[in-house]
Amino acid sequence: SYNNYYEFSTRKEAVVDLVDKFDISNWELKVTGLVENPITITMDQLGDSIGEKVDRTYRFRCVEGWSMVVPWQGIELRQILEHAKPKPEAKYV
């Protein structure tokens, strides 16, 4: 309940109350360009249509002395790319 998501608030204690009201239902992910299968998918559809959700834990250690452990759940980029099928001439994602 104490975090640094400044997109919600600069008060670290306030974020936990604000994040529940954050609506991503109208967000879309578009993969276009040098791909065989251009896709547009909503965030709600992402886990159901593209791939299996995975859990990861990332540990960050900064040279300035701070560290944090961040749990993450989502879709691997690899799964999205396998679905979109980038063409051989594609150099960047």
Side-chain angles (χ1 to χ4, degrees):
S1 63
Y2 183 84
N3 55 62
N4 291 325
Y5 288 102
Y6 296 117
E7 296 85 357
F8 295 102
S9 174
T10 55
R11 288 184 35 244
K12 296 179 182 186
E13 298 84 2
V15 176
V16 70
D17 296 322
L18 298 171
V19 73
D20 286 339
K21 298 174 188 96
F22 191 64
D23 182 19
I24 63 168
S25 63
N26 63 345
W27 288 19
E28 291 181 334
L29 171 68
K30 292 184 180 186
V31 181
T32 61
L34 296 173
V35 295
E36 292 178 22
N37 185 28
I39 57 174
T40 299
I41 192 165
T42 67
M43 299 306 282
D44 289 337
Q45 296 169 327
L46 191 59
D48 299 331
S49 301
I50 297 293
E52 183 178 328
K53 288 184 181 176
V54 295
D55 292 310
R56 298 282 189 266
T57 302
Y58 293 102
R59 291 169 179 80
F60 297 98
R61 292 194 174 102
C62 179
V63 296
E64 295 177 350
W66 61 266
S67 65
M68 65 174 35
V69 176
V70 179
W72 179 86
Q73 184 183 61
I75 306 301
E76 293 176 328
L77 178 59
R78 173 187 55 79
Q79 294 174 315
I80 297 169
L81 294 177
E82 285 173 356
H83 186 74
K85 298 182 180 162
K87 295 180 179 179
E89 59 267 24
K91 295 181 181 180
Y92 305 101
V93 175

